[in-house]
């Protein structure tokens, strides 16, 4: 392992080799026990970036998440490296704001995510999933990432936002190349290419859609955002555009990431898969265990607004504080045998955040999509098995596989 025999405090979490096969769980395990608030001094990819504190335990992440006065989302952005996602863009989304501005905007977006609105989409999501699986008819092999997960999540979020099915592939490519810009296979032009080419195209396409909904309101989420009011105020156009970007990014990546890693875990643990095949009522528990072990976003960041102490470590005003959900969701003080995939565990976890103002808006939709994807995949292909080595997206932010080759019939 990359950290064996090394002083864990000297390990720089940004070392590329640590992330080539997904999150460095061995390093995080040592940090939780030896230095739960860990300092990384430098970046390989962005040498001009300042270092950061890593928060690795569930209790400490819970503390940071709920104290927005001391740990700001707005001051420095919500991702580890500001160079990877410009601060001006982050601050235009409610995820990159602090209260009270955050609360006003999130309340407007909440209108599109009511329990009834989500529940009304169950039949449609199942229909989309079945239709995608139907395309595999007659095939022995597939890539679950690109043949199943990507087209399903693209159509689900596309139908929510009012995007035509013909544009699904275009939007998926744009979102993948923006969020996965650090992976040369996903975006050969890198982060700079995403900022210069992909993000402007996303904004231009969104503005056209917003203009259409102003002229001709519909019942899709974009129209809800265009016409929603709280205390007599509507969203401004740049707020709608950035909110649209946020929802498209989350809708494209979150469910895809957790579904594929969850399916891999089931194929690697056939006893767990058999439990679901014998008793499909266990699928919701499998969803929660997949979310725990494979949160779609490895981290979110805050910036200290004052000198403060966390878990005995002094943090200075202005320093970055990074909450690693891929670590806290395997915290030994919360979970027995945390690296074991157990569909009966039905755990609480921090895949959607750890409470506080920024708890994920789309939790109900993500859970519904994941449940349907697991149910329909296992119903159609109960003998599905791995047919090659999966590959990881190279990223410290997006925690997902980019390929998952399978034999559909065992």
């Amino acid at each position: 392992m990359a950290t064996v025999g090394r002083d864990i405090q000297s390990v720089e979490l940004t070392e590329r080799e640590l992330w080539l096969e997904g999150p460095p769980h061995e390093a995080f395990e040592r940090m939780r026990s030896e230095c739960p608030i860990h300092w990384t001094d430098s970046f390989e990819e962005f040498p001009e970036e300042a270092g950061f504190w890593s928060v690795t335990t569930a209790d400490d992440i819970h503390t940071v998440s709920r104290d927005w006065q001391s740990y700001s989302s707005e001051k420095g952005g919500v991702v580890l490296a500001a160079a990877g996602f410009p601060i001006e863009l982050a601050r235009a989304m409610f995820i990159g704001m602090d209260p009270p501005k955050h609360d006003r905007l999130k309340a407007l977006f909440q209108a599109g995510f009511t329990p009834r609105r989500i529940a009304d989409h169950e039949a449609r999501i199942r229909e989309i999933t079945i239709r995608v699986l139907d395309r595999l008819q007659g095939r022995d092999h597939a890539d679950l990432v690109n043949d199943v997960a990507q087209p399903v999540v693209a159509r689900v979020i596309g139908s929510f936002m009012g995007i035509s099915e013909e544009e699904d592939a275009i939007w998926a490519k744009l979102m993948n190349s923006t969020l996965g810009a650090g992976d040369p296979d996903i975006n050969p032009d890198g982060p700079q290419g995403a900022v210069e080419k992909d993000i402007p195209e996303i904004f231009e396409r969104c503005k056209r859609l917003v203009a259409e909904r102003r002229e001709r309101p519909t019942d899709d989420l974009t129209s809800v955002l265009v016409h929603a009011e709280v205390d007599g105020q509507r969203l401004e156009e740049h707020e709608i555009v950035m909110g649209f970007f946020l929802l498209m990014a989350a809708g494209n990546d979150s469910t895809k990431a957790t579904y594929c890693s969850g399916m891999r875990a089931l194929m690697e643990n056939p006893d767990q898969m058999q439990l679901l095949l014998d008793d499909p009522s266990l699928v919701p528990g499998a969803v929660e265990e997949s979310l725990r072990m494979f949160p779609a976003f490895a981290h979110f960041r805050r910036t200290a607004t004052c000198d403060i102490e966390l878990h005995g470590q002094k943090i200075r005003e202005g320093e970055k504080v990074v909450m690693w959900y891929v670590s806290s969701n395997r915290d030994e003080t919360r979970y027995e045998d945390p690296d074991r995939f157990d569909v009966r565990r039905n755990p609480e976890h921090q895949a959607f955040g750890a409470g506080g103002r920024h708890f994920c808006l789309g939790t109900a939709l993500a859970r519904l999509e994941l449940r349907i994807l697991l149910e329909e995949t296992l119903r159609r292909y109960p003998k599905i098995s791995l047919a090659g080595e999966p590959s990881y997206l190279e990223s410290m932010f997006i925690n997902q596989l980019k390929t998952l080759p399978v034999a559909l019939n065992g």
Side-chain angles (χ1 to χ4, degrees):
M1 300 293 284
T3 64
V4 170
R6 298 171 64 184
D7 172 15
I8 194 64
Q9 295 200 24
S10 71
V11 171
E12 303 279 2
L13 259 182
T14 54
E15 292 173 21
R16 182 170 177 261
E17 65 171 302
L18 288 175
W19 294 86
L20 294 178
E21 297 180 9
H25 292 298
E26 184 241 4
F28 282 125
E29 181 181 357
R30 289 189 60 195
M31 286 175 189
R32 289 192 298 272
S33 63
E34 297 175 43
C35 56
I37 311 297
H38 174 277
W39 178 255
T40 290
D41 191 54
S42 64
F43 280 69
E44 278 187 18
E45 189 178 2
F46 303 112
E48 72 285 354
E49 284 274 348
F52 59 91
W53 293 105
S54 287
V55 185
T56 60
T57 70
D59 285 347
D60 288 338
I61 288 179
H62 182 268
T63 296
V64 172
S65 296
R66 289 173 176 269
D67 185 0
W68 60 267
Q69 292 98 333
S70 304
Y71 303 99
S72 168
S73 299
E74 192 166 320
K75 191 170 181 180
V78 294
V79 293
L80 209 160
F85 193 82
I87 183 65
E88 298 79 16
L89 297 184
R91 285 177 177 158
M93 297 184 286
F94 62 79
I95 197 173
M97 297 175 183
D98 293 328
K101 191 176 179 183
H102 164 274
D103 297 351
R104 182 186 75 83
L105 271 183
K106 192 171 185 179
L108 284 166
F109 280 84
Q110 198 83 48
F113 287 88
T114 61
R116 179 178 176 181
R117 191 176 183 85
I118 300 302
D120 285 348
H121 276 73
E122 176 162 1
R124 176 75 177 125
I125 294 171
R126 197 173 295 277
E127 175 196 327
I128 289 168
T129 304
I130 290 171
R131 189 150 49 91
V132 169
L133 290 170
D134 282 345
R135 297 175 197 164
L136 302 179
Q137 195 74 31
R139 291 175 55 176
D140 294 323
H141 293 84
D143 172 14
L144 280 193
V145 178
N146 297 296
D147 293 333
V148 177
Q150 183 65 78
V152 168
V153 300
R155 181 76 308 253
V156 170
I157 194 62
S159 65
F160 247 72
M161 303 306 296
I163 293 168
S164 68
E165 189 164 359
E166 293 72 33
E167 292 185 284
D168 283 353
I170 296 169
W171 277 102
K173 185 175 187 305
L174 286 169
M175 301 315 300
N176 289 337
S177 61
T178 299
L179 292 184
D183 189 302
D185 291 337
I186 302 296
N187 191 340
D189 297 323
Q192 195 62 32
V195 171
E196 292 176 359
K197 293 193 303 186
D198 300 318
I199 291 176
E201 183 176 348
I202 290 168
F203 288 174
E204 192 55 44
R205 287 176 175 275
C206 179
K207 286 177 182 177
R208 289 203 298 266
L209 195 60
V210 167
E212 289 172 11
R213 293 302 179 270
R214 286 199 199 283
E215 291 287 320
R216 293 181 296 279
T218 63
D219 63 350
D220 60 52
L221 190 50
T222 303
S223 197
V224 170
L225 299 179
V226 168
H227 298 284
E229 290 187 11
V230 169
D231 298 329
Q233 286 185 297
R234 286 189 176 182
L235 291 169
E236 297 176 22
E237 179 163 311
H238 77 277
E239 293 172 329
I240 298 172
V241 170
M242 291 311 302
F244 184 98
F245 177 90
L246 177 63
L247 296 177
M248 286 296 294
N252 183 69
D253 278 281
S254 57
T255 305
K256 176 175 65 176
T258 301
Y259 161 73
C260 291
S261 291
M263 282 299 302
R264 179 188 185 180
L266 287 170
M267 290 183 282
E268 290 178 338
N269 296 274
D271 61 319
Q272 297 298 303
M273 184 183 288
Q274 194 60 49
L275 286 173
L276 300 188
L277 293 172
D278 291 344
D279 184 1
S281 72
L282 294 175
V283 167
V287 166
E288 298 308 313
E289 181 72 337
S290 298
L291 287 163
R292 178 188 74 82
M293 290 194 72
F294 315 110
F297 300 102
H299 76 266
F300 275 110
R301 168 202 162 179
R302 302 288 184 262
T303 301
T305 62
C306 56
D307 291 352
I308 195 167
E309 188 171 302
L310 181 66
H311 207 124
Q313 176 62 55
K314 287 182 170 59
I315 295 171
R316 295 181 185 276
E317 179 183 352
E319 289 182 332
K320 302 175 187 177
V321 179
V322 179
M323 301 176 288
W324 291 102
Y325 308 118
V326 288
S327 174
S328 65
N329 277 347
R330 300 192 184 208
D331 188 332
E332 299 80 0
T333 67
R334 291 272 181 107
Y335 312 104
E336 184 179 347
D337 197 4
D339 294 324
R340 177 173 56 87
F341 187 79
D342 181 359
V343 301
R344 287 178 164 160
R345 193 191 301 265
N346 204 19
E348 292 185 7
H349 52 74
Q350 296 180 343
F352 297 120
R357 298 298 227 280
H358 285 278
F359 195 73
C360 176
L361 190 67
T363 53
L365 178 59
R367 284 182 163 120
L368 179 60
E369 276 189 86
L370 286 167
R371 175 171 63 80
I372 291 171
L373 270 162
L374 288 180
E375 286 172 351
E376 295 300 334
T377 304
L378 295 179
R379 182 178 292 127
R380 183 76 61 98
Y381 297 111
K383 296 182 179 178
I384 192 170
S385 62
L386 286 170
E389 191 63 32
S391 63
Y392 275 93
L393 182 77
E394 192 175 323
S395 172
M396 288 187 290
F397 179 54
I398 306 295
N399 177 30
Q400 66 178 241
L401 298 168
K402 59 184 177 184
T403 61
L404 181 57
V406 298
L408 294 168
N409 300 300

